[in-house]
């Protein structure tokens, strides 16, 4: 297992926009004995309700949404570029169809607040605070709604309080 250390949300020195928008994240959730993850590139990190938070957007038809809607925690894991194919796979295949974690070759770290992986460069563990489907009436620019939601399957926004951040220890 790689050496990982816990850091404060205030200690992260990287580019958040690059982290989620370009590197992508693996959103993972455990509900009872089921663990599932999916790739996401829409979300962010900020400060809300006097707490450091992470927020993500998940389509309602995704299996991860089914699990997350009834779970209290989730994780956001980030990987180096050599894991890009794994992230594509995790975004393409449904966890209802197969055990994606096992098939991906990732190694779970047990006994954590939410799923973590040995291979991740960084993992953010979150406690769910809020969720709400995006409302089509909220769009100021109808073209965005038309472009991204022609099937009216609006993403669900999940906001989680950042409880812990783990990153690989750069020795």
């Amino acid at each position: 297992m790689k050496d990982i250390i816990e850091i404060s949300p205030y200690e992260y020195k990287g580019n958040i926009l690059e982290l989620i928008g370009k590197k992508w994240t693996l959103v993972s959730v455990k509900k009872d004995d089921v663990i599932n993850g999916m790739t996401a590139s829409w979300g962010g990190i900020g400060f809300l309700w006097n707490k450091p938070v992470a927020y993500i957007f998940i389509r309602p038809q995704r299996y991860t949404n089914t699990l997350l809607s009834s779970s209290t925690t989730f994780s956001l894991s980030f990987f180096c570029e050599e894991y890009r194919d794994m992230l594509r796979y995790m975004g393409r295949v449904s966890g209802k169809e197969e055990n994606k974690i096992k098939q991906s070759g990732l190694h779970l770290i047990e006994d954590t607040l939410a799923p973590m992986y040995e291979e991740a460069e960084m993992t953010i563990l979150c406690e769910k605070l809020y969720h709400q489907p995006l409302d089509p009436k909220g769009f100021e620019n109808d073209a965005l709604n038309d472009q991204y939601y022609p099937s009216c399957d609006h993403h669900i926004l999940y906001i989680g309080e950042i409880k812990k951040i783990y990153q690989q220890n750069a020795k």
Side-chain angles (χ1 to χ4, degrees):
M1 182 163 89
K2 294 181 180 176
D3 188 25
I4 59 171
I5 58 171
E6 182 177 346
I7 64 168
S8 160
Y10 302 98
E11 292 178 284
Y12 179 71
K13 303 286 188 235
N15 179 331
I16 296 298
L17 293 176
E18 182 176 296
L19 190 66
I20 295 174
K22 291 189 178 180
K23 287 188 87 169
W24 305 342
T25 186
L26 182 61
V27 179
S28 298
V29 62
K30 180 176 181 180
K31 177 63 179 147
D32 300 323
D33 291 333
V34 177
I35 298 174
N36 192 58
M38 63 166 267
T39 303
S41 63
W42 287 11
I45 295 173
F47 200 74
L48 182 64
W49 303 312
N50 292 318
K51 301 173 185 302
V53 298
Y55 58 94
I56 54 170
F57 298 87
I58 300 178
R59 296 257 188 199
Q61 64 266 35
R62 295 300 300 253
Y63 184 53
T64 300
N65 179 61
T66 301
L67 298 174
L68 186 52
S69 68
S70 59
S71 180
T72 59
T73 61
F74 62 93
S75 65
L76 305 177
S77 296
F78 303 90
F79 299 84
C80 63
E81 190 60 32
E82 72 183 78
Y83 289 95
R84 182 63 69 166
D85 286 342
M86 176 275 299
L87 288 168
R88 282 188 187 98
Y89 163 77
M90 296 297 278
R92 186 178 64 247
V93 174
S94 172
K96 281 193 264 187
E97 312 292 320
E98 61 186 69
N99 183 337
K100 293 194 308 184
I101 306 301
K102 183 177 179 182
Q103 294 289 73
S104 72
L106 292 173
H107 299 91
L108 281 164
I109 297 174
E110 300 295 328
D111 299 321
T112 58
L113 180 69
M116 281 181 55
Y117 308 97
E118 288 181 21
E119 295 81 2
E121 287 185 310
M122 184 173 72
T123 300
I124 300 173
L125 300 178
C126 298
E127 184 177 291
K128 191 171 68 174
L129 297 174
Y130 180 85
H131 71 281
Q132 177 71 42
L134 293 182
D135 185 345
K137 296 176 193 165
F139 282 93
E140 299 293 330
N141 179 343
D142 289 336
L144 288 173
N145 188 41
D146 296 343
Q147 178 181 356
Y148 291 103
Y149 304 104
S151 300
C152 297
D153 59 342
H154 292 81
H155 281 93
I156 297 171
L157 162 67
Y158 286 94
I159 301 172
E161 178 181 2
I162 297 173
K163 292 303 215 175
K164 295 184 179 192
I165 297 178
Y166 290 99
Q167 69 179 25
Q168 288 184 14
N169 189 8
K171 293 181 179 181

